[in-house]
Structure formats: structure tokens, C-alpha cells
Amino acid sequence: MRRNEVLNNGSRRFSFVLEESVLRYRLCGTETMAAQLGHLLAVMDLQNVAVGIVPFSEQRTVWPMPTFTIFDDTRVHADTLDAASTLTQPSQVELYTRAFERLSQGTVRGSAARSLIAAALGSLG
């Protein structure tokens, strides 16, 4: 998987924010879900990767939104139900950057994030 190669080569830095709900959605079989959660735990050990999770209990400052990816503050890929868009206008990039920063403020990291992932893994039964 090419995405894993990029994560593991260490030449770039990554910061991920996930909603706790995505740790628990059952969109695939138990075995696949367990593998994905295990992979997330492993990725958290990489020096160039930061993972934050917005817990259910967090007071929201930003409405939950579809997936978006910010590339070096110059480009955003934003997914919607019917399309994926590449945004390059500085005002658009700034809007998503601010949203990411606000989402990041409500995250737990480190052992607290690991606990949420472990709980989701344990709930797979």
C-alpha cells in the first residue's frame, strides 16, 4: 500500500484528527476492523505521525464534517457525498486550516487516545 510507504519513510510529517465515532462504525467485518484499529495503534508510534481523537464527550466547537486532507497549507482535498474536490484558493485552504485547528483543540492524544482505540478494539468481541 503506497500510503503506508509514505507514512513509514519519515520524510514528511502527518497530523490526523479522527472522531471517536469512526473507531466504532461497523462498515466492515470484525477481523478487518480489528486490523485497522491495530494499524492505527502502530502508526501512532511513528515519530512523524501525530494522532488526535475527538471523544464523544467533548463539547463541540466545529460541526462533524466529511474527510478532508490539507497538503502543506497550499491545497486541500475535500470529500463530499457525491464528489471529491481539490481546493487551492488561499481563502479555501485557510478555511479548512482553521477548521482543522479547531478540531485539533478538542482532541485527546497519547495514552488517552490509545485508550479510546483499545476500548473500540475490545468492543469488537
Side-chain angles (χ1 to χ4, degrees):
M1 296 189 46
R2 295 188 76 189
R3 289 182 180 180
N4 287 334
E5 291 174 20
V6 173
L7 285 174
N8 290 317
N9 83 14
S11 66
R12 294 187 174 113
R13 294 177 35 148
F14 298 90
S15 183
F16 298 100
V17 171
L18 307 170
E19 301 277 347
E20 183 178 358
S21 57
V22 302
L23 303 176
R24 296 183 176 273
Y25 287 145
R26 300 287 182 105
L27 299 174
C28 55
T30 301
E31 188 175 301
T32 301
M33 190 69 181
Q36 289 180 345
L37 292 170
H39 179 69
L40 181 57
L41 287 168
V43 164
M44 290 175 72
D45 289 335
L46 298 174
Q47 294 293 320
N48 61 321
V49 175
V51 175
I53 299 174
V54 180
F56 286 131
S57 60
E58 179 64 26
Q59 174 66 46
R60 302 304 306 228
T61 61
V62 177
W63 190 261
M65 56 186 66
T67 300
F68 64 91
T69 306
I70 301 171
F71 296 89
D72 299 325
D73 296 328
T74 60
R75 182 181 63 188
V76 173
H77 288 181
D79 295 329
T80 62
L81 187 58
D82 66 344
S85 300
T86 299
L87 310 171
T88 57
Q89 294 297 317
S91 62
Q92 294 171 314
V93 173
E94 174 61 24
L95 179 66
Y96 280 89
T97 300
R98 283 195 324 263
F100 185 82
E101 289 168 357
R102 287 185 64 195
L103 283 168
S104 295
Q105 291 171 358
T107 64
V108 295
R109 297 182 181 275
S111 62
R114 287 182 171 284
S115 292
L116 291 175
I117 297 166
L121 198 50
S123 75
L124 293 175

